[in-house]
Amino acid sequence: MAASAATPLELRPLGSTGLKLSSVGFGASPLGNVFGPVSESDAIAIVRRAFNLGINFFDTSPYYGGTLSEKMLGKALKALGVARNEYIVSTKCGRYVEGFDFSAERVTKSIDESLARLQLDYVDILQCHDIEFGSLDQIVSETIPALSKLKEAGKIRFIGITGLPLGIFTYVLDRVPPGTVDVVLSYCHYGINDSTLEDLLPYLKSKGVGVISASPLAMGLLTENGPPEWHPACPELKVACQVAAAHCKKKGNNISKLAMQFSLSNQDISTILVGMNSVKQVDENVAAAAELARVGIDKETLSEIEEILKPVKNQTWPSGIHQS
Ligand code: NAD
């Protein structure tokens, strides 16, 4: 499927930040070789293609590929040769290949290391990465105040929190002063097989918090090739998704395209962060958004897929030490 330059990618506001993010966001974990090797020249070409097709939001973390993703993204953004305010960058702190550390000292040092790797003076969003693995009370009383200081120092513009169990978001947002946390990044909870984030959207809206939803392809479950070896889903969920992918193919559709379009359909989510490790995937995902805007989603195939996935609907997996 060729990407259409005729239908520009929609820009959506991110909570109260004033930022406008492209509806399709670029998840840079694949640039850390998380889903297989990606060369430096490929990384540069993939990011360039994404930017040229209207993707303005790029997300990474020091954890992805043990800092490799940040380094690759930094090189690729520099190679674009455009003004810094033409793209929006988020990275994370607190999760590293060595383990978790959400202390004020570590996250304060972390941003300087990330800025050096990214070759940037500031990031737009700094997010506490996978907070369910830390003490949520420490996040509230120590980590977020440290990030507020980084905001004052101009190293970051906005503060976010990320993680899998949805209860972590309300726990933190109910305990910090209003306006302190600008953004939440949820993953694997707004897709065809799991849409539990939907129930939280009115609460997040009422708090003025921007919503980033990541992993529309459920980290590879909703692809024809299937998920990587390390994928945490149970075998039942993996099998059901592969049956759904095969059914889609039989109908002349593609499970990844349908999954992108499903996630993009909710306007209360600012951006759908998808991980892409080839120019072809960038083209396909942007084209999926363009097709959605032009003709809508293939409702018949979607409802058949939803029927196949019904027995495993909203099934997730344990993550961290807080399972709410
Ligand atoms: P994803 O659901 O976006 O799936 C990525 C996989 O799908 C990769 O293997 C990719 O090559 C493949 N893919 C992409 N487009 C495709 C297409 N058109 N056809 C077939 N396959 C395609 O999962 P993800 O990469 O884990 O999530 C996206 C991004 O969100 C990450 O890169 C990261 O930036 C962010 N994220 C953050 C957290 C967190 O903060 N805790 C967790 C998960 C993801």
Side-chain angles (χ1 to χ4, degrees), residues 27 29 35 59 64 130 162 187 214-215 217 219 275 281 284-285:
S29 70
F35 292 93
D59 175 73
Y64 300 149
D130 290 341
T162 86
Y187 72 100
S215 311
L217 312 183
M219 303 192 302
Q281 288 181 354
E284 286 173 356
N285 294 335

Side-chain angles (χ1 to χ4, degrees), residues 1 25-31 34-36 58-61 64 69 90 92 95 127-132 161-164 185-188 212-228 230 254-257 260 272-278 280-286 288:
M1 191 187 0
F26 188 94
S29 70
L31 303 191
V34 170
F35 292 93
F58 299 84
D59 175 73
T60 183
S61 164
Y64 300 149
S69 167
S90 67
K92 311 194 183 80
R95 180 166 203 180
Q127 306 170 100
C128 305
H129 195 174
D130 290 341
I131 58 173
E132 69 270 28
I161 48 177
T162 86
L164 185 71
L185 185 162
S186 159
Y187 72 100
C188 288
I212 297 169
S213 180
S215 311
L217 312 183
M219 303 192 302
L221 284 178
L222 300 175
T223 62
E224 284 182 2
N225 288 341
W230 52 258
N254 178 283
I255 189 81
S256 301
K257 183 178 89 172
M260 277 303 295
I272 299 300
L273 256 185
V274 57
M276 297 176 274
N277 61 13
S278 67
K280 181 171 174 272
Q281 288 181 354
V282 174
D283 286 352
E284 286 173 356
N285 294 335
V286 173

Side-chain angles (χ1 to χ4, degrees), residues 164-165 187-189 194 196 232-234 237 312-318:
L164 185 71
Y187 72 100
C188 288
H189 286 314
D194 181 337
T196 44
C234 72
L237 178 54
V312 291
K313 177 77 182 176
N314 296 338
Q315 204 180 90
T316 185
W317 46 86

